Every structure is written in structure tokens, then in C-alpha cells.
Amino acid sequence: MHLPTLSTGVLALLLASAAASGQTAPAASPASPAGPASCPRIDIPYTQFRLPNGLTVILHEDHTVPIVAVDVWYHVGSAREKPGRTGFAHLFEHILFEGSKHVKTGEFDTLLEAAGGTNNGSTNTDRTNYYEVVPSNALPLALFLESDRMAYLLDVMSAARVDQQRDVVKNERRQRIENQPYGIAVLKLPELLFPAGHPYSWSVIGSMEDLSAATHQDVEDFFKRWYGPENASLVIAGDFDSRAARALVEKWFADVPRGKTPPEPFFAPPARVAGEKRVTVEDKVQLPRLYMAWLTPAHFLPGDDALDILSSVLASGKNSRLYKRLVYDLQIAQDVSATQDSRALGSIFTVTVTAREGHNLSEIERVVQEELDRVKAEPPSQREVERALNQYEADVYRSVEQALGKAELLNAYDFAAGRPDYLNEDLWRHRALDPKDVQSVAGRELPDDARVVLSVVPAGKTELGASVRPAGKGGPR
């Protein structure tokens, strides 16, 4: 699913703020539809304004517990990089924790820990986020820390600091990808799905060669281009007074200078997999794993929501089709998953299956193909779709239980849909789906002749891969 929770994040189209500069946005758009009776409205009241330097600010008061979440999104991810200069967005995720003009190296964490707070950040293809969760009386501290690294990071960024964090990121790549079982798929799938030069054709962490070649000037130019207030949004959610919080935001952020070059629109030509690509790679793994991946509609485009539900029907829970057949009935698979990874420039639908000892991926693929053909030929049952919708709604309710979850939702929907309160419309568009919509999207968006079939097998055992397409009925895209 692409629900923008802490774990998944959401992928952006363009920042299209609902409020004009300096104005307050309504808590909910008057044009919002009432929604299906079966899907009650979730209200997250907010005010929204924009500082003269372009920083978008969203405030949500919730006095349930004395905690405040501060969530800053920079609207830059790995897709804003250039071929030959990849990995910069993730590199900055690390650099921004290393101190700024008024915060010495190491103090960012120690100051927050002393106040009883926590912090972290993450990077994906379309955005980078940083957040703090603190007791309500520590809100001024969190805002000071975020403003200082937005305004004064370059004052202390040196070639030595870039080299240090470059080495940290390269070591992370070794640990989390190169030496991680099946980590090679993280690198191979983008290359196979997208044409060379496409913003999604490289991994978020970047290549070793590009990280090694990056100069201090390259890194400084990237920061100046993308990390200004006009390309960021700040959400504060939790136990605070909105008037006092606005005064604090203006105190700490109003004098942050706007970037010199406005970010250009986020765009790339639609990508399509030319035919079926079958690739087998060897890795240091014990069991073979199959990846079947398709390029699918971008976030919020028609079909994106139905693919969310299809992924759940296929592989979410022990009663899902693929789990029941592969893991429970036939006992030929160790695990199975399906995801619709919704992104701004085009999404990715992936079915992933790890075989059990003694079974190969051709055997696995035959069963997956049978289930894909079945859902293309006949709609899933109403009960299957209802279960998937219930799971989707449960994820939403889990997200709004905590201040940080609500902060992420507000930031994500403003970023992707141009409205912080778009959560209800997102719920309602899913609730409006029926089994025929799921059948239709499977036939239209998951063709046999435009996909990647990647087999990751133990070293020296390429015969375990899915090298030949099984017989099927999949139609054209």
C-alpha cells in the first residue's frame, strides 16, 4: 500500500500548497464530498500558512498527551539527482545530523535526549524527512535545531565532514545492500524497470563510484539547490498553542534565506518495460527468491488505488491467495508479499516470493501466474475486497493514534495532493472500489509482456531461477 505512514512514507507529485502566503487554510475544504456512509470522516484539524521565504507551515493541536511532533520535509529525494552524481539526497540525511553553526557536532542528539525527546530521518526517491518527538515544553528546542541546520549548515560543512559522512554512507551500502541477503535486488530492479537516465533508474543510496567522485563543491551546490525554505514544509502536531507556535516558527525560520534558484517542476516521460525481462543473479543466499515487477500508474492516478487492494488480495495475511497456496497448501514457499509502491513519476507493483528448501523459482512462478490469470479472468469475491479495505483502514487508524503519525499524514498529503486534509478523499476512493475494479486493473496494469522477472539464487545454482515463462493468459498492456 502507499498509505503515508512512518514506515512507508508517501511519494510526491508537486508541492501545491492549499494556502496563499501568510493566510490560514480551513481545516477541511468545503468542497470535500461527504464520503460513503461506511467510511466515517477522520478529522485532523489544522491551520496552514506560508512564511515570506516560502516555507509552508501546518499546525495541528492535540492536547491528548503532552507531546509534540515536529516534522520537516524537504521536497528532494534521489530522483532529483543526476546520472553520475547519485546518492546525494541520502548523504544529506546523514550530514544534517552532524551539527550546524550554532549546534556543535554531536549536540543535536544530546540536546534532544536531555529534553526527553527522540529524532530521526529518512530518504526515498521523492522526499527527505527529519522529525523530532519531544515533550511539549521542548518545542522551542526542536524548532531551533531544525531552523539552524536549514539556515546555517553550510557555515560548518567542510571537505573533511563530507568525506566522513561519505564513508559512513558507503559502509551503510555495504552492510544494508551489498552484504545483505537479497540486497542485490535493490540495485537491479530499478535498472531493469526504468530506462537509463530516468530519475528512478538508480537506487536511493547511490552508487559507490558516484559517492567516491562527489566533491565538496558538488555537495554544497546540491544543498543550495534543494534545501531552502521554499522547497520545504514544516508540520507541528500535538500539545501546543497555535498562536504561540506560530510566533516560534516566525522567530526561528522567518530569517532563513530563500534559495536563489526555484526548484523546477518534477517531471519525467512515462516509462514502460519493453517486453518481458528475465534475469537471474547469484547472491550469498540459502534460498532462491523471485521478484515479479511491473511499472504501474503514479500516485493518485486511476488504478493506483485498485492496485493497493489487489496487493492485499494476493498476499496480505494467511487467507490471501498467494500465501494460502504457496505457503499453506503447497508448502513450496517460505514467505510471500505483494506491494504497490506509489510514487510521483510512476509506481512499481511487485510480487516477491522466497522458495522453501528443495523448490525452484519456476515452480513458484507457475503458481503466481495461475493466480494472476485467475484474478484477470474473474473478479475477486466481495469478501476478499472487503477484507483488504478493512486492512487499509486499520493502517490509517494506526497512523492517527500518535502525534508523529498525524504529522506525517498532513505533510504527505499536502506534498502529494496539495491538501493536508486529503486523507478522507484517499479513504473514500478506496472504499468506492468493487471487485470488478480490481479485476480490471490486474488485466490492464500487470501484463505478461511488460514486466521484470528477477531470480536471486544461491551462488552456483542458476538452475533454480525462473528462466522460462510459464503458460498463461495474461493480455497486453
Side-chain angles (χ1 to χ4, degrees):
M1 292 185 181
H2 63 234
L3 180 70
T5 62
L6 300 183
S7 61
T8 59
V10 74
L11 306 178
L13 296 174
L14 274 172
L15 174 64
S17 175
S21 176
Q23 295 180 341
T24 299
S29 168
S32 299
S38 61
C39 188
R41 184 178 184 86
I42 299 175
D43 284 320
I44 307 178
Y46 70 93
T47 56
Q48 182 175 9
F49 60 94
R50 184 176 292 173
L51 297 182
N53 60 11
L55 178 67
T56 296
V57 183
I58 301 167
L59 307 177
H60 163 66
E61 285 191 49
D62 178 0
H63 302 286
T64 306
V65 291
I67 288 176
V68 177
V70 174
D71 189 43
V72 176
W73 281 34
Y74 291 97
H75 305 165
V76 55
S78 61
R80 291 291 199 171
E81 299 159 355
K82 303 296 182 186
R85 288 295 182 266
T86 64
F88 282 23
H90 180 250
L91 178 62
F92 267 106
E93 182 194 323
H94 289 258
I95 290 176
L96 262 70
F97 286 104
E98 292 303 304
S100 45
K101 183 176 181 180
H102 305 103
V103 181
K104 295 179 181 178
T105 302
E107 281 191 350
F108 197 99
D109 288 333
T110 57
L111 288 170
L112 285 168
E113 289 170 4
T118 60
N119 74 99
N120 212 331
S122 66
T123 309
N124 61 31
T125 53
D126 299 334
R127 66 98 183 101
T128 306
N129 80 320
Y130 301 90
Y131 63 84
E132 295 80 34
V133 180
V134 297
S136 9
N137 62 359
L139 175 60
L141 171 64
L143 294 176
F144 156 69
L145 291 171
E146 286 293 354
S147 68
D148 202 63
R149 61 183 175 184
M150 183 183 288
Y152 301 110
L153 183 78
L154 292 183
D155 292 61
V156 297
M157 190 161 66
S158 63
R161 179 168 294 190
V162 170
D163 289 342
Q164 179 192 44
Q165 292 309 307
R166 185 208 322 266
D167 290 341
V168 170
V169 171
K170 290 167 75 173
N171 190 53
E172 181 181 345
R173 178 186 160 107
R174 295 185 190 100
Q175 289 182 331
R176 296 179 58 184
I177 296 180
E178 295 176 359
N179 295 323
Q180 185 77 12
Y182 311 104
I184 194 169
V186 175
L187 305 177
K188 294 296 294 183
L189 281 172
E191 295 175 0
L192 294 168
L193 284 165
F194 295 96
H198 189 282
Y200 291 164
S201 64
W202 52 83
S203 68
V204 172
I205 203 166
S207 74
M208 285 294 199
E209 295 77 13
D210 290 355
L211 289 168
S212 297
T215 67
H216 174 232
Q217 189 62 50
D218 289 334
V219 174
E220 187 170 308
D221 290 345
F222 192 81
F223 181 85
K224 289 178 180 178
R225 182 72 179 275
W226 300 112
Y227 290 81
E230 75 287 352
N231 197 44
S233 52
L234 164 67
V235 175
I236 306 173
D239 183 33
F240 63 91
D241 175 78
S242 289
R243 289 187 179 181
R246 178 164 184 161
L248 285 171
V249 169
E250 291 173 344
K251 173 183 177 180
W252 291 115
F253 289 90
D255 62 348
V256 178
R258 180 188 287 265
K260 294 181 180 179
T261 306
E264 67 265 17
F266 198 28
F267 175 77
R272 186 180 187 276
V273 180
E276 183 187 61
K277 297 181 181 179
R278 288 183 171 264
V279 176
T280 299
V281 295
E282 300 176 51
D283 198 7
K284 295 178 181 179
V285 296
Q286 292 185 330
L287 298 172
R289 178 176 288 179
L290 176 71
Y291 298 84
M292 300 176 69
W294 294 260
L295 295 182
T296 52
H299 198 193
F300 294 135
L301 290 186
D304 177 46
D305 47 4
L307 286 162
D308 276 343
I309 302 307
L310 176 61
S311 69
S312 187
V313 167
L314 289 174
S316 181
K318 294 182 179 180
N319 289 319
S320 62
R321 293 186 174 195
L322 290 177
Y323 186 95
K324 187 174 185 304
R325 283 201 66 193
L326 290 165
V327 179
Y328 186 75
D329 292 341
L330 298 174
Q331 297 185 22
I332 62 175
Q334 192 92 342
D335 55 60
V336 58
S337 65
T339 57
Q340 165 72 352
D341 179 8
S342 301
R343 305 181 181 190
L345 302 178
S347 305
I348 301 173
F349 189 93
T350 309
V351 175
T352 307
V353 188
T354 308
R356 291 188 68 174
E357 186 72 41
H359 297 276
N360 62 57
L361 298 183
S362 293
E363 185 181 4
I364 296 288
E365 188 190 0
R366 276 194 293 271
V367 178
V368 175
Q369 187 67 51
E370 287 171 7
E371 292 303 323
L372 290 173
D373 290 343
R374 187 158 73 96
V375 79
K376 292 173 185 179
E378 181 180 349
S381 69
Q382 183 63 45
R383 183 177 180 181
E384 287 179 292
V385 173
E386 191 66 27
R387 183 173 62 242
L389 289 167
N390 289 341
Q391 290 171 340
Y392 186 87
E393 287 186 19
D395 286 343
V396 173
Y397 285 111
R398 279 191 285 269
S399 296
V400 300
E401 285 178 346
Q402 298 181 350
L404 183 55
K406 287 189 283 188
E408 281 280 282
L409 285 170
L410 290 167
N411 230 337
Y413 281 116
D414 188 59
F415 187 29
R419 270 184 41 203
D421 64 343
Y422 197 76
L423 167 63
N424 289 289
E425 279 79 351
D426 203 11
L427 277 170
W428 297 336
R429 75 189 181 109
H430 284 81
R431 266 292 168 195
L433 296 169
D434 63 31
K436 289 185 178 180
D437 295 321
V438 179
Q439 176 196 17
S440 175
V441 82
R444 186 175 69 250
E445 302 297 344
L446 306 183
D448 295 348
D449 61 351
R451 66 184 181 185
V452 168
V453 181
L454 173 65
S455 300
V456 180
V457 300
K461 296 185 177 181
T462 56
E463 71 276 6
L464 296 180
S467 57
V468 181
R469 181 198 292 188
K473 302 176 182 178
R477 187 177 178 83

